[in-house]
Amino acid sequence: MAMKVFGQPMSTNVARVLVCLEEVGAKYEVVPVDFATAEHKSPEHTSRNPFGQVPALQDGDLVLFESRAISRYVLRKNSSELLKEGSLADSARVDVWLEVESHHFDRPMAVIIYQCLVLPVYFGGKTDEKVVEENLETLRKTFQVYEDRLSRSTYLAGDFISLADLSHFPTAYYLLATPHAGMLDEFPRVKAWIDGVLARPAVVKVIEMMKASA
Ligand SMILES: N[C@@H](CCC(=O)N[C@@H](CSO)C(=O)NCC(=O)O)C(=O)O
């Protein structure tokens, strides 16, 4: 029976799971969850994700939530090289940079995306430029670390692409859609790395799904 992913592809955390499913060629079905009617807070969905968020994944009688944990499950189930689990050291480096993505990249980026894209486009609100500037400063510090790292290895965890790199794609894609894409010109290696990740066939396919669900 095909796996079910609950949530809309335009959501960065849902897209993170979808790219892993595409990378391993898994059969899956996307089951939209309607935020407009607060379906994500319904008893049915909170039984899948107690925080009332998307994504959730159902694989037979296994139900998971938290996109990075779901991503690891999908890749591990398919013995994907994207986890580098044949090497203790390499797989630990993948974990390190996946944590970095979650705490040092996604955190400021979530605010920048909300302020620059979600608030004006979906709620007709006004971007708080001061809040954006504060989070851009945090993001610059993160990118300084990435720029240095990428001067020593082709990808974040080593000279191999991994989930740590792919996990960045949804939020990086939206950064390019904000008025602040130009900040990447200060970090040429980061910009080239993002361009490479965004050109990956599985990523290109999920970006099409993100656009179609927006
Ligand atoms: N750490 C979790 C975050 C999920 C999340 O914030 N999902 C958002 C949509 S994607 O930006 C969501 O469901 N927001 C609605 C809400 O929080 O009520 C994960 O990685 O799965």
Side-chain angles (χ1 to χ4, degrees):
M1 185 171 68
M3 284 186 263
K4 287 183 180 173
V5 181
F6 295 87
Q8 45 285 22
M10 64 179 277
S11 136
T12 54
N13 297 294
V14 174
R16 177 174 293 110
V17 171
L18 296 179
V19 76
C20 294
L21 289 161
E22 287 297 329
E23 285 283 347
V24 299
K27 291 222 175 321
Y28 66 95
E29 176 196 344
V30 177
V31 181
V33 175
D34 185 5
F35 278 24
T37 59
E39 185 186 354
H40 55 312
K41 303 303 181 187
S42 67
E44 196 183 9
H45 187 67
T46 51
S47 70
R48 300 181 197 118
N49 182 329
F51 291 96
Q53 293 185 319
V54 292
L57 178 107
Q58 183 176 353
D59 184 11
D61 56 12
L62 178 67
V63 179
L64 301 173
F65 65 98
E66 284 299 330
S67 63
R68 294 172 187 79
I70 296 171
S71 296
R72 281 196 181 98
Y73 167 74
V74 167
L75 296 177
R76 192 170 288 136
K77 179 177 181 183
N78 292 274
S79 312
S80 168
E81 260 301 283
L82 289 166
L83 290 179
K84 299 302 282 184
E85 289 190 328
S87 153
L88 198 55
D90 285 346
S91 60
R93 292 187 187 103
V94 173
D95 286 344
V96 163
W97 290 94
L98 197 54
E99 290 298 315
V100 168
E101 178 271 320
S102 173
H103 300 292
H104 298 283
F105 176 72
D106 194 65
R107 197 185 302 263
M109 275 304 308
V111 176
I112 292 165
I113 290 171
Y114 177 76
Q115 284 293 335
C116 296
L117 300 178
V118 177
L119 191 55
V121 173
Y122 289 94
F123 298 107
K126 194 175 171 335
T127 301
D128 181 332
E129 298 299 347
K130 187 172 170 302
V131 166
V132 171
E133 199 39 54
E134 285 161 9
N135 285 275
L136 282 169
E137 255 328 286
T138 305
L139 187 62
R140 280 191 186 88
K141 290 188 176 62
T142 297
F143 279 165
Q144 263 142 23
V145 170
Y146 284 34
E147 190 72 12
D148 174 63
R149 174 67 182 163
L150 292 169
S151 72
R152 295 171 222 278
S153 64
T154 325
Y155 293 97
L156 291 177
D159 290 330
F160 49 82
I161 194 164
S162 76
L163 174 59
D165 306 293
L166 288 181
S167 188
H168 285 79
F169 110 77
T171 309
Y173 168 71
Y174 282 129
L175 171 60
L176 299 183
T178 73
H180 304 289
M183 64 96 72
L184 279 167
D185 296 341
E186 301 162 47
F187 308 98
R189 288 195 177 92
V190 176
K191 183 165 178 9
W193 164 73
I194 287 176
D195 290 346
V197 170
L198 292 182
R200 207 168 157 83
V203 173
V204 169
K205 183 167 178 190
V206 175
I207 286 174
E208 286 314 306
M209 295 166 73
M210 292 167 81
K211 287 180 186 167
S213 83

